[in-house]
Amino acid sequence: MISTALLALLPLVGAKTLSVDFSTYDSSNMTVSEFLASKGLMINTYDVDTGGDPYTHTYEEANVGISGGYLTLKVTGGTKSGSTVPSACIQTNDSNILHGTFKTTAIASDVAGVCHGFYTYESDSQESDIEILTSHLYSGNDAVNPGLQLTNQAINGNSSDNTRKAIAYPSDPTSGEHEYKLQWSSGLTEFFFDGSMVASIDTNVPTAPSAFLWNSWSGGNPNWTEGPPTEDAILRISKIELDYETS
Ligand SMILES: *[C@@H]1O[C@H](CO)[C@@H](O)[C@H](O)[C@H]1NC(C)=O
Ligand SMILES: *[C@@H]1O[C@H](CO)[C@@H](O)[C@H](O)[C@H]1NC(C)=O
Ligand SMILES: *[C@@H]1O[C@H](CO)[C@@H](O)[C@H](O)[C@H]1NC(C)=O
Ligand SMILES: *[C@@H]1O[C@H](CO)[C@@H](O)[C@H](O)[C@H]1NC(C)=O
């Protein structure tokens, strides 16, 4: 016999919540890596060569910290030509996420030349992104429209066919905490800033089980991040709240 309480839970099978308030971190108790692991998150450490960018970047554990109540994702300033840009990236342990709501409360860096990303990722053709380009908050160029960058990468793998929108910032992303939410459902990606929907995209919606990632990096490409930054650029995340289904 199945109890009423259990029946009430049945529709939630496969549903997960991952919520982290970074002010709860106690450095006397555990390392940042251990804290993240206890929450179901891991620090990525690998090299990224996008192919088209003047600089490669490297995700380094040393560039991920928790300080003053914030998860800090740092791009180290002053990278010389020919070197890799020290960058930062974390992700969910789960890489079988299929649909969900992903909220990040953060303060963007006011240092030019980096990209902060909050995104679902399975491969370069299965990816939905919220991105903040610190060089293109309010000014663009031939390749980049200014504003909050919202993208579904092309399912066919041809980046020329990516679905992109750039939305004027409702308020300054560098001057205080704002909540960025990506809502991924079957056939539709919706994007929210401080609780208000700012865009939706119904093409190139990912269909593959994915992880969710947060990163900060620079490729030194005037067509996207600009940079690399001349001083340290730090993304500060106070909390994340994810509700998702796993496949
Ligand atoms: C470490 O943190 C855990 C979880 O908050 C807590 O239960 C434990 O008492 C802490 N240990 C020490 C030595 O502070
Ligand atoms: C996340 O993965 C790490 C590394 O494999 C593991 O130590 C940790 O227990 C996992 N966290 C959860 C909540 O499953
Ligand atoms: C990529 O898409 C663009 C624009 O749709 C098209 O002109 C180009 O031929 C495509 N490239 C490949 C390799 O299919
Ligand atoms: C930037 O875009 C322009 C025009 O598409 C292209 O000619 C140039 O090679 C690009 N620069 C880099 C560094 O990718």
Side-chain angles (χ1 to χ4, degrees):
M1 196 164 111
I2 298 177
S3 74
T4 326
L6 188 56
L7 274 177
L9 285 173
L10 282 177
L12 297 177
V13 167
K16 282 190 154 184
T17 295
L18 194 167
S19 177
V20 185
D21 172 349
F22 291 98
S23 71
T24 63
Y25 174 63
D26 175 358
S27 62
S28 70
N29 196 313
M30 51 178 108
T31 66
V32 169
S33 172
E34 287 166 347
F35 178 78
L36 295 175
S38 75
K39 303 294 186 183
L41 299 168
M42 57 184 161
I43 297 174
N44 286 328
T45 53
Y46 48 80
D47 298 325
V48 182
D49 184 350
T50 61
D53 287 336
Y55 290 75
T56 60
H57 57 279
T58 302
Y59 296 135
E60 297 186 358
E61 179 160 357
N63 282 26
V64 177
I66 301 178
S67 154
Y70 293 93
L71 173 73
T72 56
L73 299 183
K74 179 171 79 176
V75 180
T76 307
T79 301
K80 299 283 189 292
S81 180
S83 298
T84 188
V85 182
S87 298
C89 185
I90 68 162
Q91 71 163 71
T92 54
N93 279 13
D94 285 334
S95 54
N96 59 345
I97 296 172
L98 189 61
H99 307 143
T101 299
F102 310 88
K103 289 185 196 169
T104 302
T105 304
I107 307 175
S109 173
D110 61 5
V111 174
V114 303
C115 175
H116 303 322
F118 317 135
Y119 60 109
T120 69
Y121 186 80
E122 188 270 343
S123 66
D124 291 340
S125 59
Q126 290 280 327
E127 176 175 354
S128 281
D129 308 271
I130 295 177
E131 290 169 295
I132 298 169
L133 299 175
T134 61
S135 283
H136 296 298
L137 298 177
Y138 306 111
S139 65
N141 60 25
D142 286 349
V144 188
N145 291 319
L148 182 63
Q149 309 292 321
L150 308 169
T151 308
N152 281 349
Q153 306 282 342
I155 301 267
N156 69 9
N158 180 349
S159 61
S160 305
D161 294 335
N162 289 351
T163 313
R164 292 193 173 288
K165 296 191 177 184
I167 301 299
Y169 284 98
S171 39
D172 181 356
T174 69
S175 71
E177 293 183 10
H178 295 287
E179 184 192 276
Y180 302 84
K181 179 169 87 172
L182 190 157
Q183 193 161 306
W184 173 26
S185 38
S186 178
L188 185 65
T189 318
E190 293 167 289
F191 302 94
F192 300 75
F193 185 97
D194 285 342
S196 298
M197 201 204 297
V198 292
S200 66
I201 298 177
D202 64 3
T203 51
N204 288 317
V205 179
T207 55
S210 299
F212 197 86
L213 288 78
W214 297 260
N215 71 358
S216 193
W217 62 282
S218 182
N221 191 331
N223 292 344
W224 191 243
T225 61
E226 307 259 4
T230 54
E231 57 186 291
D232 290 355
I234 299 174
L235 166 66
R236 292 182 168 79
I237 297 175
S238 60
K239 67 181 175 191
I240 59 176
E241 294 166 276
L242 314 186
D243 288 289
Y244 56 83
E245 303 286 332
T246 53
S247 67

